[in-house]
Amino acid sequence: MKNFTNVCLILITMLSASSLFAQTKITGIIMDGEFNESLAGANVFVKGTQVGTTTDLDGKFELTTTETSGTLVVSFLGFETKSVSFNAATKSIDLGSIQLNPDANQLTEVVLVGKGIIDLAADRKTPIAVSTIKAAEIQAKIGTADVTQLLVNTPSVYVAGQSGGYGDSRITVRGFQQDNTAFLLNGQPINGMEDGKMYWSNWSGMADIANVIQIQRGLGSSKLAISSVGGTVNFVTKATDKKEGGFTSFGVANNQYFKSTAGYNTGIMENGFGASVMLSHWQGDGYNDGTEGQGQNYFISFGYKANEKHSFNFLLTGAPQYHDQNFTKAISTYLEYGRRYNNNWGTLNGVYRTERRNFYHKPVANLNWDYEINDKTSLSTVLYASWGRGGGTGGYGRSVRTSTGNIDFDAIYANNQTAPGGIGNFSNTPRNYVVRSSMNNHAWYGMVTNLKKELSDNLSLNLGIDLRTYNGDHYRQVSSYLGLNGWNESRNLRDNTDLPTSTVASNTVNEGFSTNPWSSFFNTAADNQKIDYNYSETISYGGLFGQLEYAKDNFSAFFQGSLSNQSHQRFDYYDYLPEFSDSKKVSNIGYNVKGGTSYVVAEQHSFYANAGLYSRQPYHDNIYLNFTNALNPLTSNEDVLGFEAGYGFKSRYFSANLNLYRTSWKNRVTSTSGVLTAATTIGTTDLNTGDLVYTSSQNDEQLHSGVELDFVFRPLESLDIKGFASVGNWQYKGNAVQRKFDENQNLLEQTNTDIDGGKVGDAAQTTLGLGVKYKIVKNFSIDADWRNYDNLYANVAANKENIELPSYDLVDAGISYRMLVGENNKNSIDFRINMNNVFNEVYLSEITQSFSSGNVNGIFPANDTDPSYKGINVKNSAFFGLGRTWNVSIKYNF
């Protein structure tokens, strides 16, 4: 009996142990619910346990758990997290296909390289005002537009300048222009070092290579000491793709536009290497007269995963292009000749010629190294370089125009034929004319490195270094002599006082240089073939940055800080005696500090508040006066103070974000200098001929405040509704103060102009938008976006009564269809049709010169007989927006 009892106890123990350690195998495949593609690298884990795995290259997963029932949590960056219940009736469960829905506010794919360098909102738990455009939307909607057009369906964003030609658009964020918005490419700053501006023609291939575009309005999440006053725009490019495959695409559009693109990925091979390559070509006549363009784009990426700790990626991309340009003109001119009128071109012997062509080639190279030191510490480093070559053409000398205002190249050629010896100059009668190219060549090298350390379960630290050096060369060369054999000019050289001396330099040039961007990259002019000016600058930058973030349960808080030193030196080889060609070196310290906190209530409601202070160094072009070596003694750092707060709501069907902001910009100074040509009195001081006078202009304050709303509503699986609204109040405060000083910095005169309440121009202060996407059947959808722009003012200097432009509405629409082909439907063909400005709205997109004829706010009363267009004086220089445009594309994925 005792033995029987012992046997029973043993059997019971064995059965209990067998039950306790029973294993359940769970398998399935994770799919993109929008395009029915497998998702490699998705995270799958059993809720409440440490059991988890990631999907393979085909989106498949397999995990083993002792749980017989429970919940799987599936997540993938750029998609909504999904919970899936399981109940193990057997030892093996196949959950089949699990569809994840895209998250409109997150990224489309995992960033494969530079994860610690690329500043993305997802990397920080404390929220900011952010909008994200995914790769699928970029490819679908870009058409023939600049990459800036992809941001128009986000709050507080305005895009202008598109009528200038391919690549000539400008973007403002919360009313701040491009020199006050930071633009990053894979973590590297790409704003111009001299003036902070962006030239989108240099980045014409960005839409082809962008994996994601994220715009962080206001303070943003960037850790660098950069000029993110209005916001930060992150362009994250493709890297070496994990999966083998490729594509080829073709597109056509209005005005003879054509584009072809092809790409191929080897995938990450067994030896850890992989490569991705893409090439494209585009060309078109342009929407407005005389704005044709042509360009290419290349993208080469090599990846190597050495082991679990080290991965590397080398990227080389460039977009050589040329495009002919259109400038703003009086509204009356457009009314006379048509809204597509452009007078920057003409014909020579019946063949089209342009006076204004932009051409540029700017290769960019990145080397990324990601080092997973341990499970708590990682290091990300990027070494980058870019080499820009190119410029813009224009007339140099006496122009002759036809009766319609276009360039009369035949008359110019005939006049040049009369020049003595075939050598043109400004002294011949009549004056001669050549087409010059204003060159802007540069070499830019930099490094950004970031160490991330998990100090505890709740506390993380980022520390980094940002180093850059930039050398720019600026000069003019002749691109076309138009019948001349050469060009001669003379000038008086300057000394260390920055004033012209009696020494005269003269040179004659006789070489012409192509405006082909490929040719200009490899063929630069010698010093003796340069005209008008020839100078360079070296700008060096060194910065330290850090971020500390605490996150526990529903609460998070962060603090960021950076300190930087920026040095400048100018070298003038044309207008100075050789021994005085080098300017004095100038260095300035700048900093920024940012902090914020957030709290989540019931998983659906989140609140945040952030604040930041910037002390920004002056740009190079404001340190040296009038493009000479003369130092501007009046420059100082600009002060920016920002506050923002927000609320977010998220549910299964509806999500929304509400943001409030207030940004103050003070101590903005612009200065010029001049030599008196006659004796005069300024204030109470008598001055003599040759005396140097500095003029400083400063606005007391520029204050931008507003509210922003964006939302996504999915009432049905087949219907997405998105919307946004932003209402801003962007004003000048106080006075515009102009001060004149002598060369000993004695104040001669001060003039105050009341600008309090004057409206900041160049962007609509009120914007509304609504977008709808409906899936008619699987893989077939239609979409449409409506936008309204109001409270848009002229882009002119600060004044009390700025001109307000008429409000306008735009509607864009598109159709998408994906056809699955090939064995097991592994390949696909994508069709896309876009139509922008569907209803052909006629509107003024910007005004650059302000004539109000004494009428309040530029609006004409009923008894005023002066000509007007929609209440705007027709003498104002303006751009009309583009009318109806269309594009069609087809893409084969394999």
Side-chain angles (χ1 to χ4, degrees):
M1 185 69 179
K2 181 178 179 180
N3 290 337
F4 177 78
T5 301
N6 290 336
V7 170
C8 288
L9 290 172
I10 291 171
L11 290 173
I12 291 171
T13 302
M14 291 175 63
L15 289 171
S16 299
S18 175
S19 175
L20 180 64
F21 295 101
Q23 301 276 303
T24 301
K25 184 173 72 171
I26 305 175
T27 59
I29 181 170
I30 309 303
M31 303 291 292
D32 178 344
E34 184 174 18
F35 292 109
N36 199 37
E37 292 180 338
S38 59
L39 296 176
N43 297 310
V44 184
F45 70 92
V46 180
K47 188 175 183 179
T49 73
Q50 300 296 316
V51 177
T53 186
T54 57
T55 57
D56 62 16
L57 293 178
D58 296 319
K60 297 178 180 178
F61 72 90
E62 178 182 315
L63 59 81
T64 303
T65 178
T66 58
E67 304 290 331
T68 57
S69 64
T71 302
L72 286 186
V73 178
V74 184
S75 62
F76 190 72
L77 193 60
F79 291 80
E80 295 176 343
T81 300
K82 189 170 188 176
S83 297
V84 181
S85 299
F86 68 89
N87 196 328
T90 64
K91 293 183 179 180
S92 180
I93 304 173
D94 184 2
L95 296 177
S97 174
I98 300 173
Q99 306 284 327
L100 295 187
N101 294 321
D103 187 336
N105 295 316
Q106 294 187 31
L107 309 183
T108 183
E109 296 178 11
V110 175
V111 177
L112 300 180
V113 295
K115 286 174 283 199
I117 299 300
I118 300 174
D119 292 304
L120 297 173
D123 296 334
R124 198 175 72 194
K125 295 181 176 63
T126 308
I128 56 174
V130 63
S131 299
T132 302
I133 298 95
K134 303 178 296 180
E137 184 176 352
I138 294 171
Q139 296 303 315
K141 294 190 174 183
I142 184 62
T144 64
D146 294 344
V147 71
T148 53
Q149 187 66 20
L150 294 168
L151 303 174
V152 297
N153 291 310
T154 56
S156 298
V157 170
Y158 189 76
V159 176
Q162 297 177 85
S163 297
Y166 297 113
D168 278 355
S169 65
R170 304 187 319 281
I171 182 173
T172 61
V173 181
R174 288 184 174 174
F176 293 101
Q177 296 181 346
Q178 295 184 141
D179 56 342
N180 288 300
T181 299
F183 297 90
L184 303 175
L185 174 66
N186 289 345
Q188 74 174 75
I190 57 176
N191 293 71
M193 290 284 279
E194 304 104 319
D195 53 16
K197 296 179 180 179
M198 284 293 296
Y199 301 93
W200 293 107
S201 56
N202 300 348
W203 306 97
S204 61
M206 188 73 78
D208 291 328
I209 65 174
N211 185 43
V212 69
I213 302 172
Q214 187 180 85
I215 178 169
Q216 304 165 5
R217 300 182 299 278
L219 298 173
S221 67
S222 172
K223 298 179 283 290
L224 305 182
I226 50 180
S227 303
S228 52
V229 181
T232 303
V233 180
N234 292 284
F235 297 99
V236 182
T237 69
K238 302 175 187 293
T240 305
D241 204 310
K242 289 183 177 180
K243 187 176 180 180
E244 182 181 8
F247 73 93
T248 181
S249 67
F250 301 91
V252 294
N254 53 278
N255 299 100
Q256 309 300 314
Y257 183 89
F258 170 80
K259 183 175 184 178
S260 59
T261 309
Y264 179 72
N265 312 304
T266 66
I268 300 298
M269 298 177 285
E270 292 183 1
N271 59 8
F273 284 93
S276 295
V277 179
M278 189 208 69
L279 300 170
S280 71
H281 172 85
W282 65 270
Q283 62 188 57
D285 290 345
Y287 181 83
N288 288 309
D289 298 339
T291 56
E292 69 174 43
Q294 183 181 118
Q296 295 79 39
N297 183 28
Y298 54 88
F299 172 85
I300 305 170
S301 179
F302 295 100
Y304 175 56
K305 188 173 180 61
N307 49 49
E308 293 302 317
K309 288 184 174 291
H310 300 277
S311 59
F312 303 87
N313 199 92
F314 174 77
L315 180 153
L316 176 67
T317 185
Q321 62 80 42
Y322 76 79
H323 69 277
D324 300 343
Q325 297 178 289
N326 180 31
F327 300 149
T328 58
K329 284 171 281 294
I331 298 173
S332 59
T333 302
Y334 288 115
L335 297 178
E336 181 179 359
Y337 296 112
R339 293 190 302 275
R340 299 193 184 196
Y341 174 71
N342 175 18
N343 60 350
N344 292 333
W345 65 280
T347 60
L348 179 61
N349 296 323
V351 179
Y352 168 87
R353 295 288 297 264
T354 182
E355 183 185 59
R356 295 287 185 173
R357 170 168 291 182
N358 176 279
F359 58 101
Y360 218 78
H361 186 182
K362 183 185 175 74
V364 177
N366 284 354
L367 177 61
N368 290 274
W369 171 39
D370 286 324
Y371 176 25
E372 297 293 331
I373 300 173
N374 53 49
D375 59 352
K376 298 289 186 180
T377 310
S378 61
L379 178 70
S380 290
T381 303
V382 57
L383 301 175
Y384 62 86
S386 68
W387 307 270
R389 301 289 186 273
T393 67
Y396 195 63
R398 175 180 175 268
S399 177
V400 181
R401 293 187 177 269
T402 67
S403 58
T404 60
N406 293 89
I407 308 295
D408 192 339
F409 286 106
D410 291 321
I412 290 171
Y413 191 95
N415 176 59
N416 283 348
Q417 291 285 289
T418 67
I423 304 300
N425 57 46
F426 289 117
S427 301
N428 290 339
T429 303
R431 181 183 295 180
N432 301 121
Y433 172 101
V434 296
V435 177
R436 50 80 183 162
S437 295
S438 298
M439 304 298 292
N440 181 10
N441 299 342
H442 74 252
W444 189 339
Y445 305 94
M447 180 192 77
V448 181
T449 185
N450 180 74
L451 178 72
K452 183 177 182 180
K453 175 72 175 179
E454 301 291 339
L455 300 178
S456 68
D457 291 340
N458 308 115
L459 191 64
S460 63
L461 174 68
N462 283 272
L463 294 174
I465 301 173
D466 176 15
L467 303 174
R468 332 170 200 153
T469 183
Y470 171 95
N471 184 83
D473 296 319
H474 311 272
Y475 57 89
R476 281 181 169 173
Q477 61 191 24
V478 177
S479 65
S480 177
Y481 287 93
L482 294 172
L484 293 172
N485 297 323
W487 180 269
N488 173 266
E489 61 185 23
S490 302
R491 71 275 184 197
N492 291 87
L493 299 181
R494 298 170 180 259
D495 59 16
N496 61 337
T497 67
D498 299 301
L499 299 176
T501 68
S502 59
T503 304
V504 177
S506 176
N507 69 307
T508 299
V509 299
N510 54 17
E511 294 183 23
F513 296 87
S514 171
T515 57
N516 181 292
W518 288 97
S519 175
S520 65
F521 188 81
F522 297 102
N523 186 20
T524 58
D527 284 349
N528 64 1
Q529 293 296 319
K530 297 174 181 177
I531 59 173
D532 199 20
Y533 57 80
N534 178 21
Y535 67 91
S536 63
E537 72 269 330
T538 297
I539 305 173
S540 297
Y541 177 99
L544 302 173
F545 61 85
Q547 173 183 287
L548 191 66
E549 183 169 35
Y550 175 83
K552 184 176 182 181
D553 299 327
N554 296 328
F555 174 79
S556 68
F558 80 97
F559 175 80
Q560 287 182 2
S562 65
L563 181 68
S564 62
N565 180 71
Q566 189 163 275
S567 66
H568 304 257
Q569 190 170 17
R570 189 177 187 277
F571 310 91
D572 198 309
Y573 313 110
Y574 195 80
D575 289 323
Y576 282 78
L577 294 165
E579 61 270 29
F580 301 118
S581 63
D582 298 2
S583 76
K584 292 182 180 180
K585 191 173 183 179
V586 177
S587 296
N588 294 292
I589 300 292
Y591 66 87
N592 67 40
V593 290
K594 294 185 284 189
T597 185
S598 72
Y599 188 70
V600 178
V601 180
E603 296 186 357
Q604 287 188 319
H605 309 273
S606 61
F607 300 86
Y608 80 91
N610 297 328
L613 174 66
Y614 290 80
S615 178
R616 190 182 74 180
Q617 301 103 319
Y619 285 119
H620 180 89
D621 286 352
N622 200 30
I623 291 176
Y624 299 97
L625 289 165
N626 308 327
F627 298 100
T628 70
N629 287 352
L631 289 178
N632 182 355
L634 308 175
T635 57
S636 60
N637 282 16
E638 299 174 359
D639 300 317
V640 180
L641 178 63
F643 299 96
E644 56 190 22
Y647 163 73
F649 173 80
K650 190 170 185 178
S651 68
R652 180 178 178 182
Y653 300 105
F654 180 78
S655 62
N657 299 286
L658 179 69
N659 303 294
L660 307 173
Y661 66 90
R662 183 186 189 276
T663 305
S664 170
W665 181 17
K666 295 182 177 180
N667 200 31
R668 183 186 181 190
V669 179
T670 58
S671 301
T672 59
S673 66
V675 176
L676 295 179
T677 58
T680 189
T681 299
I682 300 179
T684 60
T685 304
D686 295 328
L687 299 171
N688 299 315
T689 302
D691 284 350
L692 185 63
V693 175
Y694 295 99
T695 302
S696 166
S697 298
Q698 179 178 353
N699 299 333
D700 283 353
E701 183 180 12
Q702 193 170 315
L703 184 62
H704 295 226
S705 58
V707 58
E708 301 166 337
L709 172 70
D710 63 88
F711 68 86
V712 177
F713 180 41
R714 294 190 178 97
L716 305 170
E717 288 188 7
S718 59
L719 179 63
D720 287 355
I721 301 173
K722 301 178 182 179
F724 71 89
S726 57
V727 179
N729 183 22
W730 310 330
Q731 295 184 347
Y732 298 103
K733 308 296 290 184
N735 298 319
V737 183
Q738 186 181 87
R739 299 182 179 93
K740 293 183 180 295
F741 300 83
D742 64 18
E743 53 189 310
N744 295 318
Q745 299 311 299
N746 296 313
L747 180 64
L748 303 174
E749 181 183 67
Q750 177 172 312
T751 304
N752 291 3
T753 303
D754 179 17
I755 60 171
D756 194 64
K759 296 293 187 178
V760 177
D762 201 33
Q765 301 199 18
T766 301
T767 58
L768 304 173
L770 187 66
V772 177
K773 180 179 180 180
Y774 181 67
K775 298 178 183 178
I776 301 174
V777 295
K778 185 177 181 180
N779 297 328
F780 181 44
S781 65
I782 60 174
D783 56 82
D785 295 290
W786 162 81
R787 298 184 301 279
N788 172 266
Y789 298 99
D790 198 4
N791 294 323
L792 170 62
Y793 296 86
N795 180 22
V796 294
N799 63 83
K800 185 80 170 180
E801 300 292 346
N802 200 354
I803 294 178
E804 183 177 357
L805 282 69
S807 62
Y808 62 94
D809 300 85
L810 296 177
V811 175
D812 303 331
I815 300 174
S816 295
Y817 176 64
R818 166 167 286 192
M819 181 171 63
L820 302 178
V821 296
E823 184 179 356
N824 298 322
N825 290 332
K826 288 185 177 180
N827 303 335
S828 64
I829 301 176
D830 295 338
F831 300 90
R832 176 70 183 182
I833 301 174
N834 287 310
M835 183 173 288
N836 296 325
N837 193 1
V838 172
F839 299 106
N840 202 26
E841 175 95 349
V842 177
Y843 63 99
L844 292 169
S845 61
E846 59 184 294
I847 288 180
T848 59
Q849 194 172 11
S850 179
F851 292 106
S852 62
S853 297
N855 299 291
V856 177
N857 204 28
I859 304 301
F860 288 74
N863 60 354
D864 197 311
T865 58
D866 289 340
S868 68
Y869 175 80
K870 294 186 177 181
I872 303 296
N873 190 328
V874 296
K875 292 188 295 184
N876 284 294
S877 294
F879 267 144
F880 279 92
L882 303 187
R884 183 187 297 117
T885 60
W886 59 268
N887 61 84
V888 179
S889 64
I890 180 172
K891 181 180 181 181
Y892 174 58
N893 304 286
F894 60 90

